[in-house]
Amino acid sequence: HWGSFARMKVTTVCLGALACAGAAHGFTAPVASRAMHTPVALRSASAQAPSVALRMSETPSESARRRVVTVAAGVALAFTSFAGVGPALAVSGGVNDFGDVAGQDFSGQNLSRKDFSGANAQNTKFQKSILKGTRFFKADLKGADFTGADLTNASLENSKLDGVLLTNAVLKGVYTDQDIEKVKDISGADFSDAQIRPDIQQKLCARPDATGANPKTKADTRESLMCP
């Protein structure tokens, strides 16, 4: 039945557009009939049409061409509205900033609020990098070096952290999961207000490298982990 339905829509569009064009150039039609049968999209389009007054200097051929253009524009606009076809809209967001950065050196760079979600960042260096609010969701960070990095409010959820160095790193308010226990070194790290599961927090406290104080924030590592 789609072919019949499509023909019915096109017929309605064409009749509505012709009625609008006729009204714009002085042709008469029953007002009630136009209001009842002309689609809303067509009435809105006709309200935005050029001035209905014909210029005195306009020739008959120019007037005829203008009427054809008006009708064609009305049909195109109305058919687009009825068919549900519109301009393509660009969608922003949802794309990470980095893909395969394995082995690269980002030391000392400000990469705050960047997105490394799903990135391959094995053995990548982030020494003393500023990574505030940076997202590492599901990133492969095996062997990455975050020594002295500022990871305040960063996300390490579902990331692979085997062999990661967090020596003297600032991890205030960081989001983690169970993989945080697989890191290689946490000495001097500041975990203040970090989101850590209680069972993982206990395991971190039991580590021999849960010692020292962060050189930047002066926070004691064990105290920041709320170790007994």
Side-chain angles (χ1 to χ4, degrees):
H1 302 290
W2 170 249
S4 299
F5 180 62
R7 285 195 296 272
M8 181 178 67
K9 289 200 294 184
V10 172
T11 300
T12 303
V13 168
C14 291
L15 290 176
L18 289 171
C20 291
H25 297 290
F27 299 108
T28 60
V31 176
S33 177
R34 291 203 307 274
M36 182 179 299
H37 299 290
T38 303
V40 174
L42 287 177
R43 294 201 297 270
S44 299
S46 65
Q48 299 174 8
S51 173
V52 298
L54 291 173
R55 297 185 179 85
M56 296 300 294
S57 59
E58 190 177 65
T59 66
S61 60
E62 290 174 336
S63 177
R65 284 197 299 272
R66 186 156 60 85
R67 285 197 294 271
V68 172
V69 171
T70 302
V71 172
V75 170
L77 177 61
F79 183 77
T80 299
S81 176
F82 275 92
V85 179
L89 299 176
V91 179
S92 60
V95 180
N96 59 357
D97 297 306
F98 300 91
D100 189 350
V101 294
Q104 294 189 30
D105 191 348
F106 293 99
S107 298
Q109 296 187 33
N110 188 342
L111 299 171
S112 296
R113 299 188 180 281
K114 294 296 183 180
D115 195 347
F116 286 85
S117 294
N120 176 15
Q122 292 188 39
N123 302 310
T124 301
K125 292 182 179 180
F126 295 98
Q127 296 176 3
K128 296 184 178 181
S129 297
I130 302 175
L131 303 164
K132 295 181 179 180
T134 300
R135 185 175 170 83
F136 291 97
F137 181 70
K138 288 188 175 181
D140 188 346
L141 298 171
K142 293 178 181 178
D145 187 353
F146 289 94
T147 299
D150 189 344
L151 288 151
T152 300
N153 296 325
S155 172
L156 297 173
E157 294 173 294
N158 295 332
S159 56
K160 298 177 181 179
L161 302 174
D162 307 65
V164 168
L165 292 174
L166 294 177
T167 311
N168 296 330
V170 178
L171 298 147
K172 298 175 67 174
V174 72
Y175 293 85
T176 68
D177 58 17
Q178 66 272 13
D179 254 36
I180 191 70
E181 67 173 303
K182 297 180 180 179
V183 300
K184 186 176 182 179
D185 184 50
I186 62 171
S187 59
D190 181 358
F191 289 94
S192 300
D193 300 318
Q195 307 299 310
I196 305 174
R197 278 175 23 190
D199 59 323
I200 302 301
Q201 177 259 345
Q202 293 177 8
K203 292 180 179 181
L204 291 177
C205 287
R207 292 175 56 136
D209 58 337
T211 58
N214 187 269
K216 182 179 180 180
T217 65
K218 311 303 180 185
D220 182 271
T221 297
R222 292 188 62 81
E223 289 182 2
S224 69
L225 282 169
M226 300 182 69
C227 300

